[in-house]
Amino acid sequence: MNPKHIEFPVLGAKWFIGFTALSHTAVASLAIGFAFIVTIAQIIGYLDKDRSYDLLAKRIQLFHVCIYNIGTIVAIGLVFGLSGLYPQFWSQLFVHQFWTLILEEFLFFLLATTLTFHYFFWDHLWGHKKLHIFLGALLTPLFLLQFYLINGIGGFMLTPGFQEGQASLSQGILGWDKQAFYNPSFLMLTLHRTFANISYGGFVVAGLCGAMLFRPNSGAIKACYEKGGHLSFAVAFIALLSLPIVGYFYSYVLKYEANEAFVNLMWGKGDVIAGGIDWWWIKHLCVAGMLGMTLTYFWHEDTADSRFSMPLVMIVTIGLFYLIFYMSMGMIMTWKFFWIMLAFALIGGLLARHLVSFHKGSPRALYVLVGIISFLTVMLGGYVREASRPRFVNRIAHYDKIYTPAERAPYLMVDVDPRTIPPPPEAIEKPSLAVQLIRQKCIGCHTLERVRNYRLDNWELIVDQMRAYGLKLATTEAEIIITHLREKQPY
Amino acid sequence: MDLPVIEPPIFPRWVWIEEITYSHIPIATLITALMTVAPVFEYIGYKKNDPRYDRLARSFINFSLILFSPGAALGTGIPMWIMGTYPEFWSRWSNLFFWPLIAQFGFFIGEVVFLFFLYYLTWDRFQAKKRLHIFFGCVAAIFGLLVQIVWDALGSYMLTPGAVALPGVDEPVAWSAQAFFNPSFPFLFSHRFFGNISYVMLLTGGVFAIRSLWIKDTEERGYYNFVARLTFTIGFFAFFAMPFIGWGYAGVIKEHAPVAFHAIMGGHVSPNFMVKMSFKSLSGISLASSHPVDSRRAHDLAPGLHLSAGWFSALFVAGCQKNIHPGADPAMVHVCSRHRGICRLSDRRFCAGAQQKSLYRVQGDCQTRGY
């Protein structure tokens, strides 16, 4: 590690990064859900010729336009923080995935423009409603694509895959690394976050509608928020249902590809515990509570005969399904897990019933409460995911070798006659075939350190042994490797 | 270890950085200028009880908001491109300026909170509390200017490092007053401040003047003419500050970044400078002569004064060119491009400006050659 680095007072470098990253996530994760619900509301409003849905969509979009820049700026703060506090790590990672990030940046520009134009030209485009809806509908896939790109990098930090991924980092693959991008946990991370974002965005919209329903408003505005609450709560609920299942498979991937993180999560180790509290547990309690509340809400909605409701038999089926799901989780993990989850789901259900009947059938308080809990869940989920993994900086094999400006001396730092400045160095040479082979073939089961540390000279035997362990190697390739190793050439 | 560098396709790295930066700057300067004048107009409207000022201020803010997110997105592109194509420079630069960058982050948040939530969203609701509303607008503008101050300081450091070398990544600095308040910083900031106001106000005047030609409604046309005259006059006066600040700026560059100075005045970028200056004198002339005909009633400024001002700036510019243009020397051009625009030739790595040491060396070089 760096012998010296900038200190961040009070918080420390790690927590400053964690704090900014989480604040960014809190805002940025809303984008997909918001965009999705705006489009749905606009379509319904258009088909039903119901102005209140359109008004709702416009209000959500205004809110989004206002908070969008906060998300942007916090991301910039995060980037500056990383540059100053983890300069080596950040430069390496950035150069490694440069094109991914530049594409992401380009999408970001498109999105920022589309979003603002969609909102600010709402009335101007009134005569072209279909075009306007289409413009808004573009936002959801674009947001998805943008966060898809970020997931590739985020997933890589958790599960580098230890094969090509590691090789690519230490060998300095430039700009785009397919192996690292499509790393083992990429798919699960993306699925989990997609549904989670829609769910989170939906519950927050419902929560905002609920909050607005507490204010004295005219009948039309009230109707708009009521419809908005029902609509977005239903969207969010459907997305929520997939999450425990996807999460299960996600943790399954982690078990094999990032065992340390898996152990930290499941056994409550490392930074997952902060201030004596296991935040992973708290997150699960939130999820169970939300399941209980939402199921009760839809139970109630069925009798209330609202537009976005579900038949009772479906609610019961879903409830039973999750009961069985958590029972099997109890069998795998501990029965304590099952009982506590069940208890929280029941408490959530009772609370939901009470809140709805207390407000004479209006679910506004429930909306607000679930909105807050979904925010907490997202925050805790993001926190434990980052906190559980071993610090990535330790994993870059060459992190401890710092580049120093002294190396630049011939160019700029010393008093040189400008006419004698040497020509610029040529592009980095491609390593020889032998080096490429060793880097490719010998890191599948252990790191190259294992090879480097080996002091004897019987390479023929060693390579044969490796083939016996399962290394697939053509005879000619083996010969090239052996010669290279025997000559003690660097690789 | 050595950090690899991304070589982008089509253009060399510096062209990419330049283009990305230029895409951001017109938007950012526009927003900053509009934000600065909006609360002033609102205040004038409040004092004079003239709703036209309020309407104008409001449309400024509305327009800023439309541009805000795209502008911020493009701005984010700048550090991203630098990080990939000049990673070492970026790491060392953000090492030197860590705290200003973090402070900039705070100012930016402040700007958004005040601009969006407390100024824009509250415009109708705060009609009764106009003073508070104007105050929020001022705070937003101050935050915007603070953001600009940080970037101007960091940018001017690259031209006149003021004897503070870029530290290594393993030599944490985080804050250096000497580097932040470097010699050309006050000049860059004031030049940009007035430049922004002048450019944006003149542009606004032009837009409103053109729109007034189309508009049918006479009442509306009156408003458009009013705006055109008002913003044009402000832009004109702000414009007039520029040559004086620019003169001082050039002096500082001459002293602290002689290589760059010679590059501008006679070296490889002098054609750009000539074009800029020609534009400037041209616009000076046209400004003076195109003063709206019916303006005498609104602003009692003698057109003759304008005309002579325009001519004066034109002559001033032409005269400067003659005096300070030293003529190009191929060897000098080579040195200049290596140092001020290090990245331009083929050096694989970027260095912020030129290090003082090598500057003096080159300066000595210049002296022996009789510059």
Side-chain angles (χ1 to χ4, degrees), chain A residues 68-111:
Chain A
Y68 187 78
N69 285 295
I70 295 193
T72 309
I73 291 159
V74 177
I76 301 176
L78 177 64
V79 165
F80 292 157
L82 284 167
S83 305
L85 299 170
Y86 296 93
Q88 178 103 15
F89 153 71
W90 181 240
S91 298
Q92 256 172 294
L93 187 73
F94 207 93
V95 171
H96 187 194
Q97 289 290 5
F98 179 72
W99 291 115
T100 320
L101 286 158
I102 289 300
L103 185 60
E104 194 263 344
E105 156 67 22
F106 175 68
L107 283 172
F108 176 32
F109 169 67
L110 275 186
L111 278 161

Short mmCIF file of all heavy atoms in Angstrom, two decimals, chain A residues 68-111:
data_model
loop_
_atom_site.label_atom_id
_atom_site.label_comp_id
_atom_site.label_asym_id
_atom_site.label_seq_id
_atom_site.Cartn_x
_atom_site.Cartn_y
_atom_site.Cartn_z
N TYR A 68 -31.86 14.96 -9.88
CA TYR A 68 -30.92 14.30 -10.77
C TYR A 68 -29.52 14.88 -10.64
O TYR A 68 -28.53 14.15 -10.55
CB TYR A 68 -31.40 14.46 -12.22
CG TYR A 68 -30.61 13.69 -13.23
CD1 TYR A 68 -30.79 12.34 -13.38
CD2 TYR A 68 -29.66 14.32 -14.01
CE1 TYR A 68 -30.06 11.62 -14.30
CE2 TYR A 68 -28.92 13.61 -14.93
CZ TYR A 68 -29.12 12.26 -15.07
OH TYR A 68 -28.38 11.55 -15.98
N ASN A 69 -29.45 16.20 -10.60
CA ASN A 69 -28.13 16.82 -10.55
C ASN A 69 -27.42 16.57 -9.24
O ASN A 69 -26.20 16.58 -9.19
CB ASN A 69 -28.26 18.32 -10.79
CG ASN A 69 -28.51 18.57 -12.25
OD1 ASN A 69 -27.66 18.30 -13.07
ND2 ASN A 69 -29.70 19.03 -12.57
N ILE A 70 -28.20 16.36 -8.18
CA ILE A 70 -27.54 16.03 -6.92
C ILE A 70 -26.82 14.71 -7.09
O ILE A 70 -25.66 14.55 -6.68
CB ILE A 70 -28.57 16.00 -5.78
CG1 ILE A 70 -29.13 17.40 -5.62
CG2 ILE A 70 -27.95 15.49 -4.50
CD1 ILE A 70 -29.91 17.65 -4.39
N GLY A 71 -27.49 13.75 -7.72
CA GLY A 71 -26.82 12.47 -7.97
C GLY A 71 -25.56 12.65 -8.79
O GLY A 71 -24.51 12.09 -8.47
N THR A 72 -25.66 13.46 -9.84
CA THR A 72 -24.49 13.71 -10.69
C THR A 72 -23.34 14.26 -9.88
O THR A 72 -22.20 13.79 -9.96
CB THR A 72 -24.84 14.77 -11.75
OG1 THR A 72 -26.02 14.39 -12.38
CG2 THR A 72 -23.73 14.92 -12.74
N ILE A 73 -23.65 15.27 -9.09
CA ILE A 73 -22.56 15.99 -8.42
C ILE A 73 -21.94 15.12 -7.36
O ILE A 73 -20.72 15.14 -7.15
CB ILE A 73 -23.11 17.31 -7.86
CG1 ILE A 73 -23.42 18.21 -9.05
CG2 ILE A 73 -22.11 17.96 -6.95
CD1 ILE A 73 -24.39 19.28 -8.74
N VAL A 74 -22.76 14.32 -6.69
CA VAL A 74 -22.16 13.42 -5.70
C VAL A 74 -21.25 12.42 -6.39
O VAL A 74 -20.19 12.06 -5.87
CB VAL A 74 -23.26 12.72 -4.88
CG1 VAL A 74 -22.66 11.75 -3.92
CG2 VAL A 74 -24.07 13.74 -4.12
N ALA A 75 -21.63 12.01 -7.60
CA ALA A 75 -20.75 11.10 -8.33
C ALA A 75 -19.43 11.78 -8.65
O ALA A 75 -18.35 11.17 -8.54
CB ALA A 75 -21.42 10.64 -9.63
N ILE A 76 -19.49 13.06 -8.99
CA ILE A 76 -18.25 13.78 -9.26
C ILE A 76 -17.41 13.85 -7.99
O ILE A 76 -16.19 13.66 -8.01
CB ILE A 76 -18.55 15.19 -9.81
CG1 ILE A 76 -19.37 15.07 -11.09
CG2 ILE A 76 -17.27 15.95 -10.09
CD1 ILE A 76 -19.80 16.39 -11.66
N GLY A 77 -18.08 14.11 -6.88
CA GLY A 77 -17.36 14.14 -5.60
C GLY A 77 -16.69 12.81 -5.32
O GLY A 77 -15.55 12.75 -4.85
N LEU A 78 -17.41 11.75 -5.63
CA LEU A 78 -16.85 10.41 -5.42
C LEU A 78 -15.59 10.22 -6.27
O LEU A 78 -14.57 9.70 -5.80
CB LEU A 78 -17.91 9.37 -5.79
CG LEU A 78 -17.49 7.91 -5.71
CD1 LEU A 78 -17.17 7.54 -4.29
CD2 LEU A 78 -18.59 7.01 -6.24
N VAL A 79 -15.67 10.67 -7.52
CA VAL A 79 -14.52 10.53 -8.42
C VAL A 79 -13.33 11.33 -7.89
O VAL A 79 -12.20 10.83 -7.84
CB VAL A 79 -14.92 10.99 -9.83
CG1 VAL A 79 -13.71 11.21 -10.69
CG2 VAL A 79 -15.83 9.97 -10.47
N PHE A 80 -13.58 12.56 -7.44
CA PHE A 80 -12.49 13.36 -6.89
C PHE A 80 -11.92 12.70 -5.65
O PHE A 80 -10.71 12.67 -5.43
CB PHE A 80 -12.95 14.77 -6.55
CG PHE A 80 -13.30 15.59 -7.75
CD1 PHE A 80 -14.14 16.68 -7.65
CD2 PHE A 80 -12.77 15.28 -8.99
CE1 PHE A 80 -14.47 17.43 -8.76
CE2 PHE A 80 -13.09 16.02 -10.11
CZ PHE A 80 -13.95 17.10 -9.99
N GLY A 81 -12.81 12.19 -4.81
CA GLY A 81 -12.35 11.53 -3.59
C GLY A 81 -11.46 10.36 -3.92
O GLY A 81 -10.36 10.21 -3.36
N LEU A 82 -11.90 9.54 -4.84
CA LEU A 82 -11.09 8.37 -5.21
C LEU A 82 -9.75 8.81 -5.81
O LEU A 82 -8.72 8.22 -5.52
CB LEU A 82 -11.85 7.51 -6.21
CG LEU A 82 -12.96 6.65 -5.60
CD1 LEU A 82 -13.85 6.09 -6.69
CD2 LEU A 82 -12.37 5.52 -4.79
N SER A 83 -9.79 9.84 -6.64
CA SER A 83 -8.54 10.28 -7.27
C SER A 83 -7.53 10.72 -6.22
O SER A 83 -6.34 10.46 -6.36
CB SER A 83 -8.79 11.46 -8.19
OG SER A 83 -9.76 11.16 -9.11
N GLY A 84 -8.00 11.42 -5.21
CA GLY A 84 -7.04 11.92 -4.22
C GLY A 84 -6.68 10.88 -3.18
O GLY A 84 -5.54 10.81 -2.74
N LEU A 85 -7.66 10.07 -2.79
CA LEU A 85 -7.42 9.17 -1.66
C LEU A 85 -6.87 7.82 -2.09
O LEU A 85 -6.14 7.18 -1.35
CB LEU A 85 -8.72 8.97 -0.87
CG LEU A 85 -9.30 10.26 -0.27
CD1 LEU A 85 -10.69 10.03 0.28
CD2 LEU A 85 -8.39 10.78 0.83
N TYR A 86 -7.24 7.36 -3.25
CA TYR A 86 -6.75 6.07 -3.75
C TYR A 86 -6.21 6.26 -5.17
O TYR A 86 -6.71 5.63 -6.12
CB TYR A 86 -7.87 5.04 -3.78
CG TYR A 86 -8.41 4.68 -2.43
CD1 TYR A 86 -9.51 5.33 -1.91
CD2 TYR A 86 -7.80 3.69 -1.66
CE1 TYR A 86 -10.00 5.02 -0.66
CE2 TYR A 86 -8.30 3.37 -0.42
CZ TYR A 86 -9.40 4.04 0.07
OH TYR A 86 -9.89 3.72 1.31
N PRO A 87 -5.22 7.14 -5.32
CA PRO A 87 -4.83 7.52 -6.69
C PRO A 87 -4.40 6.34 -7.55
O PRO A 87 -4.80 6.22 -8.71
CB PRO A 87 -3.69 8.50 -6.48
CG PRO A 87 -3.21 8.29 -5.11
CD PRO A 87 -4.38 7.79 -4.32
N GLN A 88 -3.62 5.45 -6.97
CA GLN A 88 -3.09 4.36 -7.80
C GLN A 88 -4.19 3.41 -8.22
O GLN A 88 -4.34 3.05 -9.38
CB GLN A 88 -2.02 3.61 -7.02
CG GLN A 88 -1.45 2.45 -7.78
CD GLN A 88 -0.09 2.76 -8.33
OE1 GLN A 88 0.54 3.73 -7.94
NE2 GLN A 88 0.37 1.95 -9.25
N PHE A 89 -4.98 3.01 -7.24
CA PHE A 89 -6.08 2.10 -7.52
C PHE A 89 -7.00 2.69 -8.58
O PHE A 89 -7.37 2.05 -9.55
CB PHE A 89 -6.85 1.83 -6.23
CG PHE A 89 -8.29 1.46 -6.44
CD1 PHE A 89 -8.62 0.23 -6.98
CD2 PHE A 89 -9.30 2.35 -6.14
CE1 PHE A 89 -9.93 -0.11 -7.20
CE2 PHE A 89 -10.62 2.03 -6.36
CZ PHE A 89 -10.93 0.80 -6.89
N TRP A 90 -7.35 3.94 -8.37
CA TRP A 90 -8.35 4.56 -9.22
C TRP A 90 -7.82 4.71 -10.64
O TRP A 90 -8.50 4.41 -11.62
CB TRP A 90 -8.76 5.90 -8.62
CG TRP A 90 -9.81 6.61 -9.41
CD1 TRP A 90 -9.70 7.83 -9.97
CD2 TRP A 90 -11.12 6.14 -9.73
NE1 TRP A 90 -10.84 8.17 -10.62
CE2 TRP A 90 -11.73 7.14 -10.48
CE3 TRP A 90 -11.83 4.98 -9.46
CZ2 TRP A 90 -13.03 7.02 -10.97
CZ3 TRP A 90 -13.11 4.86 -9.95
CH2 TRP A 90 -13.70 5.87 -10.69
N SER A 91 -6.56 5.17 -10.76
CA SER A 91 -6.01 5.33 -12.11
C SER A 91 -5.99 3.99 -12.82
O SER A 91 -6.34 3.89 -14.00
CB SER A 91 -4.60 5.88 -12.06
OG SER A 91 -4.59 7.14 -11.48
N GLN A 92 -5.58 2.96 -12.09
CA GLN A 92 -5.47 1.65 -12.73
C GLN A 92 -6.83 1.14 -13.19
O GLN A 92 -7.00 0.69 -14.31
CB GLN A 92 -4.84 0.66 -11.77
CG GLN A 92 -3.40 0.39 -12.11
CD GLN A 92 -2.75 -0.45 -11.03
OE1 GLN A 92 -2.60 0.02 -9.93
NE2 GLN A 92 -2.36 -1.65 -11.36
N LEU A 93 -7.78 1.24 -12.28
CA LEU A 93 -9.11 0.74 -12.61
C LEU A 93 -9.69 1.53 -13.78
O LEU A 93 -10.31 0.98 -14.69
CB LEU A 93 -10.02 0.86 -11.40
CG LEU A 93 -11.38 0.22 -11.57
CD1 LEU A 93 -11.25 -1.28 -11.53
CD2 LEU A 93 -12.35 0.69 -10.51
N PHE A 94 -9.45 2.82 -13.74
CA PHE A 94 -10.04 3.68 -14.75
C PHE A 94 -9.47 3.38 -16.13
O PHE A 94 -10.20 3.30 -17.12
CB PHE A 94 -9.79 5.14 -14.39
CG PHE A 94 -10.84 6.04 -14.95
CD1 PHE A 94 -11.95 6.37 -14.22
CD2 PHE A 94 -10.73 6.52 -16.24
CE1 PHE A 94 -12.93 7.16 -14.75
CE2 PHE A 94 -11.71 7.32 -16.78
CZ PHE A 94 -12.81 7.64 -16.03
N VAL A 95 -8.15 3.24 -16.17
CA VAL A 95 -7.51 2.97 -17.46
C VAL A 95 -7.94 1.59 -17.96
O VAL A 95 -8.17 1.38 -19.14
CB VAL A 95 -5.99 3.07 -17.31
CG1 VAL A 95 -5.29 2.57 -18.55
CG2 VAL A 95 -5.59 4.50 -17.04
N HIS A 96 -8.08 0.67 -17.01
CA HIS A 96 -8.49 -0.68 -17.35
C HIS A 96 -9.83 -0.69 -18.06
O HIS A 96 -10.03 -1.41 -19.04
CB HIS A 96 -8.56 -1.47 -16.04
CG HIS A 96 -8.82 -2.93 -16.22
ND1 HIS A 96 -9.18 -3.74 -15.19
CD2 HIS A 96 -8.76 -3.71 -17.30
CE1 HIS A 96 -9.34 -4.96 -15.63
NE2 HIS A 96 -9.10 -4.98 -16.91
N GLN A 97 -10.78 0.09 -17.57
CA GLN A 97 -12.13 0.07 -18.15
C GLN A 97 -12.48 1.41 -18.74
O GLN A 97 -13.61 1.88 -18.63
CB GLN A 97 -13.15 -0.31 -17.06
CG GLN A 97 -13.09 -1.74 -16.63
CD GLN A 97 -13.57 -2.71 -17.69
OE1 GLN A 97 -13.87 -2.33 -18.80
NE2 GLN A 97 -13.64 -3.98 -17.35
N PHE A 98 -11.53 2.05 -19.38
CA PHE A 98 -11.75 3.41 -19.87
C PHE A 98 -12.94 3.51 -20.83
O PHE A 98 -13.82 4.34 -20.67
CB PHE A 98 -10.48 3.92 -20.56
CG PHE A 98 -10.60 5.30 -21.11
CD1 PHE A 98 -10.65 6.39 -20.26
CD2 PHE A 98 -10.69 5.53 -22.47
CE1 PHE A 98 -10.76 7.67 -20.75
CE2 PHE A 98 -10.79 6.81 -22.98
CZ PHE A 98 -10.83 7.88 -22.12
N TRP A 99 -12.98 2.64 -21.82
CA TRP A 99 -14.04 2.78 -22.83
C TRP A 99 -15.41 2.51 -22.25
O TRP A 99 -16.40 3.13 -22.64
CB TRP A 99 -13.74 1.92 -24.05
CG TRP A 99 -12.57 2.46 -24.78
CD1 TRP A 99 -11.36 1.85 -24.95
CD2 TRP A 99 -12.43 3.75 -25.38
NE1 TRP A 99 -10.50 2.67 -25.61
CE2 TRP A 99 -11.13 3.85 -25.90
CE3 TRP A 99 -13.29 4.84 -25.53
CZ2 TRP A 99 -10.67 4.99 -26.56
CZ3 TRP A 99 -12.82 5.96 -26.18
CH2 TRP A 99 -11.53 6.03 -26.69
N THR A 100 -15.46 1.58 -21.32
CA THR A 100 -16.74 1.35 -20.64
C THR A 100 -17.21 2.64 -19.99
O THR A 100 -18.37 3.03 -20.11
CB THR A 100 -16.55 0.30 -19.53
OG1 THR A 100 -15.69 -0.71 -20.01
CG2 THR A 100 -17.84 -0.28 -19.10
N LEU A 101 -16.29 3.29 -19.29
CA LEU A 101 -16.68 4.48 -18.56
C LEU A 101 -17.00 5.64 -19.50
O LEU A 101 -17.90 6.44 -19.22
CB LEU A 101 -15.56 4.87 -17.60
CG LEU A 101 -15.50 3.93 -16.39
CD1 LEU A 101 -14.14 3.94 -15.74
CD2 LEU A 101 -16.55 4.33 -15.38
N ILE A 102 -16.30 5.71 -20.62
CA ILE A 102 -16.58 6.80 -21.55
C ILE A 102 -17.94 6.59 -22.20
O ILE A 102 -18.72 7.53 -22.37
CB ILE A 102 -15.46 6.89 -22.61
CG1 ILE A 102 -14.19 7.41 -21.96
CG2 ILE A 102 -15.87 7.80 -23.76
CD1 ILE A 102 -14.30 8.77 -21.34
N LEU A 103 -18.23 5.35 -22.52
CA LEU A 103 -19.55 5.07 -23.08
C LEU A 103 -20.63 5.43 -22.06
O LEU A 103 -21.67 6.01 -22.39
CB LEU A 103 -19.64 3.59 -23.45
CG LEU A 103 -20.92 3.17 -24.15
CD1 LEU A 103 -21.09 3.92 -25.45
CD2 LEU A 103 -20.91 1.67 -24.44
N GLU A 104 -20.33 5.09 -20.81
CA GLU A 104 -21.27 5.40 -19.74
C GLU A 104 -21.48 6.90 -19.65
O GLU A 104 -22.59 7.38 -19.49
CB GLU A 104 -20.71 4.84 -18.43
CG GLU A 104 -21.69 4.77 -17.30
CD GLU A 104 -21.58 5.95 -16.39
OE1 GLU A 104 -20.56 6.69 -16.44
OE2 GLU A 104 -22.51 6.17 -15.63
N GLU A 105 -20.40 7.62 -19.78
CA GLU A 105 -20.46 9.09 -19.72
C GLU A 105 -21.29 9.65 -20.88
O GLU A 105 -22.10 10.56 -20.69
CB GLU A 105 -19.02 9.61 -19.75
CG GLU A 105 -18.83 11.02 -20.26
CD GLU A 105 -19.43 12.05 -19.34
OE1 GLU A 105 -19.61 11.73 -18.15
OE2 GLU A 105 -19.73 13.15 -19.82
N PHE A 106 -21.12 9.04 -22.03
CA PHE A 106 -21.88 9.50 -23.19
C PHE A 106 -23.38 9.27 -22.96
O PHE A 106 -24.21 10.14 -23.20
CB PHE A 106 -21.40 8.75 -24.44
CG PHE A 106 -22.20 9.08 -25.66
CD1 PHE A 106 -22.15 10.34 -26.22
CD2 PHE A 106 -23.02 8.14 -26.24
CE1 PHE A 106 -22.91 10.66 -27.33
CE2 PHE A 106 -23.78 8.45 -27.35
CZ PHE A 106 -23.73 9.71 -27.90
N LEU A 107 -23.71 8.07 -22.46
CA LEU A 107 -25.11 7.79 -22.16
C LEU A 107 -25.66 8.77 -21.14
O LEU A 107 -26.81 9.22 -21.23
CB LEU A 107 -25.23 6.38 -21.58
CG LEU A 107 -25.15 5.26 -22.59
CD1 LEU A 107 -25.09 3.94 -21.86
CD2 LEU A 107 -26.39 5.29 -23.47
N PHE A 108 -24.81 9.09 -20.21
CA PHE A 108 -25.17 10.02 -19.16
C PHE A 108 -25.57 11.36 -19.75
O PHE A 108 -26.59 11.96 -19.38
CB PHE A 108 -23.95 10.14 -18.25
CG PHE A 108 -24.05 11.11 -17.15
CD1 PHE A 108 -25.24 11.37 -16.55
CD2 PHE A 108 -22.91 11.75 -16.70
CE1 PHE A 108 -25.32 12.27 -15.53
CE2 PHE A 108 -22.97 12.65 -15.69
CZ PHE A 108 -24.18 12.92 -15.11
N PHE A 109 -24.80 11.80 -20.72
CA PHE A 109 -25.12 13.06 -21.37
C PHE A 109 -26.47 12.96 -22.11
O PHE A 109 -27.33 13.82 -21.99
CB PHE A 109 -24.01 13.45 -22.35
CG PHE A 109 -24.38 14.58 -23.25
CD1 PHE A 109 -24.57 15.84 -22.73
CD2 PHE A 109 -24.55 14.37 -24.60
CE1 PHE A 109 -24.93 16.89 -23.55
CE2 PHE A 109 -24.91 15.42 -25.43
CZ PHE A 109 -25.11 16.68 -24.90
N LEU A 110 -26.63 11.85 -22.84
CA LEU A 110 -27.90 11.65 -23.54
C LEU A 110 -29.08 11.68 -22.57
O LEU A 110 -30.11 12.31 -22.83
CB LEU A 110 -27.91 10.28 -24.22
CG LEU A 110 -27.29 10.15 -25.60
CD1 LEU A 110 -27.54 8.76 -26.13
CD2 LEU A 110 -27.91 11.18 -26.52
N LEU A 111 -28.88 11.00 -21.45
CA LEU A 111 -29.96 10.90 -20.47
C LEU A 111 -30.27 12.25 -19.87
O LEU A 111 -31.44 12.62 -19.73
CB LEU A 111 -29.55 9.93 -19.37
CG LEU A 111 -29.77 8.48 -19.73
CD1 LEU A 111 -28.97 7.58 -18.85
CD2 LEU A 111 -31.25 8.17 -19.61
#
